[in-house]
Amino acid sequence: MTPPPEIERVLFTEEQIAARIREVAAGISERYRGRSLKLIGVLKGSVFFLTALARELTIPVKIDFLGISSFTDSARGSGMVRIAKDLDDPIEGEDVLLVEDIVDTGLTSRYLLQTLAGRSPNSLGICTLLDRTPRRLVQVPIEFRCFEIPDRFVVGFGLDYKQLYRHLRYIAVMHPDKGKGLA
Ligand code: IMP
């Protein structure tokens, strides 16, 4: 697939992503061996990652999805999050992994972790496709991560720019004049 002109360079190819997801899935299957696991995907960015990950797991898996809306609280100058679509089922007593596309500032993950922890799961962790630490505002514990990335805006494999590019099979860096103002 020829990258569109807005793409500066491919960061991770389809093959690299698949190989890394297999490795991470093996670690997850090992960690939860003998138990079943509920994967909770955060719409929409984590959909491609969640499905690829779920298919590589060798333990019993359930899936559910959360939809969120992010908005900026100008008074506090930080991104705020609320749940726009809740889970279909309770998670009480279950082993739960929150599946994220990217942990950036950490605000979304922290909010979701706090919210889900209040529903008494047996265990709760985060598995993220991408981890971009330079912009972190709050610390969140990440159990499983596929890739650490530099401080650039990325698209593909579920991640979007204005709702576009989610379908790309690779993860790519946008040209500097695109995306969230990142250099
Ligand atoms: P947070 O800053 O950790 O709360 O991340 C919030 C959300 O912003 C992520 O779940 C992504 O959906 C989105 N996001 C952050 N960085 C990028 C990026 O580089 N490309 C596409 N979406 C991003």
Side-chain angles (χ1 to χ4, degrees):
M1 213 192 300
T2 311
E6 299 83 2
I7 296 302
E8 182 182 290
R9 67 189 158 97
V10 173
L11 205 52
F12 304 110
T13 64
E14 182 177 2
E15 293 73 23
Q16 287 172 319
I17 296 168
R20 182 65 186 133
I21 289 178
R22 271 196 295 277
E23 280 177 4
V24 169
I28 294 174
S29 297
E30 189 54 40
R31 172 87 63 90
Y32 294 92
R33 188 153 309 289
R35 293 182 276 169
S36 68
L37 179 64
K38 179 169 280 185
L39 300 179
I40 295 183
V42 184
L43 295 170
K44 303 167 192 150
S46 75
V47 167
F48 292 81
F49 176 42
L50 183 142
T51 53
L53 183 73
R55 287 179 169 171
E56 298 294 342
L57 294 174
T58 56
I59 50 174
V61 178
K62 300 178 194 173
I63 65 175
D64 204 343
F65 291 97
L66 272 175
I68 54 166
S69 305
S70 303
F71 52 97
T72 301
D73 176 349
S74 50
R76 294 173 55 187
S78 63
M80 306 284 286
V81 184
R82 69 173 179 85
I83 292 181
K85 179 232 168 281
D86 209 335
L87 298 174
D88 287 338
D89 298 308
I91 56 169
E92 188 176 349
E94 297 196 280
D95 291 299
V96 172
L97 259 190
L98 186 62
V99 180
E100 296 263 23
D101 52 355
I102 181 168
V103 179
D104 183 24
T105 62
L107 291 168
T108 306
S109 308
R110 185 182 63 171
Y111 170 78
L112 293 177
L113 272 187
Q114 285 172 349
T115 303
L116 295 176
R119 300 181 186 188
S120 308
N122 183 52
S123 68
L124 179 60
I126 293 181
C127 175
T128 188
L129 175 64
L130 303 177
D131 186 5
R132 187 168 55 213
T133 54
R135 283 162 44 90
R136 195 74 96 248
L137 293 176
V138 292
Q139 290 311 310
V140 282
I142 297 177
E143 268 72 27
F144 302 96
R145 71 171 58 68
C146 290
F147 302 104
E148 288 208 36
I149 62 164
D151 198 1
R152 295 291 305 272
F153 193 84
V154 295
V155 293
F157 212 82
L159 291 108
D160 74 305
Y161 173 65
K162 295 187 175 173
Q163 298 302 327
L164 291 170
Y165 311 114
R166 292 191 197 277
H167 69 296
L168 298 178
R169 291 170 181 263
Y170 48 82
I171 294 167
V173 174
M174 296 283 290
H175 270 296
D177 55 342
K178 305 280 182 188
K180 279 194 170 175
L182 295 174

